Amino acid sequence: MVRVFIVVCSVAAGMALTLGCSSGQQAPIPGSLSATSRVSATPRSETPQERSSRIRQKLIEIGCSSNACIQTYFGCEDGYITGAACDFYREHRID
């Protein structure tokens, strides 16, 4: 009996989510963008993973190649580490 109740509740929740997520709008038709929207498109911004990879590569280039050094750098950047351990971070900020 409990299993039937759980299954019914799960199905009801799934249907509610499915119906709630659809706003009644149709998906855009490929190629239907206006010329102005194509021209005004901005370049893709850097993802957090790409940014971390880029910073890691720069750190390796300036001599911070150990895992401990790289983790300390990101810890200082995020504010999890403070004090003298962050001297390298303060001297070598990478944007």
Side-chain angles (χ1 to χ4, degrees), residues 2 7 9-10 17 19 26-29 45 51 59 65 71 73 77 81 83 85 88 95:
V2 173
V7 170
C9 287
S10 297
L17 286 173
L19 295 174
Q26 295 179 353
I29 300 169
S45 62
R51 181 181 178 277
L59 288 172
S65 58
Q71 287 183 354
Y73 185 90
E77 181 181 52
I81 303 171
F88 182 84
D95 292 323

Side-chain angles (χ1 to χ4, degrees), residues 9-68:
C9 287
S10 297
V11 170
M15 289 178 62
L17 286 173
T18 302
L19 295 174
C21 291
S22 67
S23 61
Q25 297 176 351
Q26 295 179 353
I29 300 169
S32 66
L33 296 174
S34 66
T36 56
S37 65
R38 286 188 192 138
V39 172
S40 66
T42 58
R44 183 176 69 87
S45 62
E46 190 175 48
T47 66
Q49 292 81 10
E50 291 169 337
R51 181 181 178 277
S52 294
S53 180
R54 178 181 53 80
I55 291 174
R56 182 178 178 274
Q57 186 59 40
K58 286 185 180 180
L59 288 172
I60 291 170
E61 290 171 5
I62 61 174
C64 178
S65 58
S66 70
N67 191 37

